[in-house]
Amino acid sequence: DISVVENQAAIKFENDILNFHSINEGEKVTGSFKFKNVGDHDLVISDVQVNCGCTVADYPHNAIKPGKEGLISVSYDSKGAKGMRIEKNVTVYSNTKPSATVLKIIAEVE
């Protein structure tokens, strides 16, 4: 069980790696990172940045109350990545300490 972080918002991800395993070149895959606000203040995600144009992230723009959960959904387009093992960073910026959390998506593109 997770103890509550006092006097601030705190984000706890269920997983920090999203593995799409083996996908076909040209396939678009979508998954999500589930998180919980384990602090005692509202959690506000200010931005989610990805390190390539092949990846798109969507995140809640409203405040997440203490104890509540949310999802950051991520889509990856494998066009042009044939035969590659991809590893992409998804950086979540929020009102937590530290303010940035780095998540990863990985896949083997056939």
Side-chain angles (χ1 to χ4, degrees):
D1 197 34
I2 303 162
S3 60
V4 170
V5 178
E6 292 185 8
N7 300 318
Q8 68 185 48
I11 195 166
K12 171 72 176 157
F13 284 91
E14 212 170 65
N15 295 300
D16 60 359
I17 296 176
L18 187 56
N19 190 343
F20 290 115
H21 302 286
S22 180
I23 61 175
N24 293 318
E25 191 268 335
E27 191 177 347
K28 289 181 184 171
V29 289
T30 302
S32 57
F33 293 99
K34 186 176 181 180
F35 66 87
K36 183 174 186 174
N37 180 358
V38 295
D40 62 3
H41 284 55
D42 285 3
L43 170 68
V44 178
I45 296 174
S46 55
D47 197 15
V48 176
Q49 294 183 352
V50 291
N51 63 350
C52 81
C54 56
T55 308
V56 178
D58 189 29
Y59 60 96
H61 296 322
N62 54 320
I64 307 295
K65 297 285 181 200
K68 297 296 181 189
E69 297 180 336
L71 289 177
I72 294 173
S73 56
V74 180
S75 299
Y76 169 71
D77 184 348
S78 65
K79 184 177 177 187
K82 188 176 179 97
M84 294 171 61
R85 180 184 192 279
I86 63 104
E87 189 172 299
K88 303 293 178 187
N89 288 344
V90 178
T91 307
V92 179
Y93 295 95
S94 60
N95 61 334
T96 57
K97 288 182 182 130
S99 62
T101 305
V102 179
L103 309 170
K104 286 193 183 312
I105 61 169
I106 56 177
E108 298 282 344
V109 184
E110 302 298 325

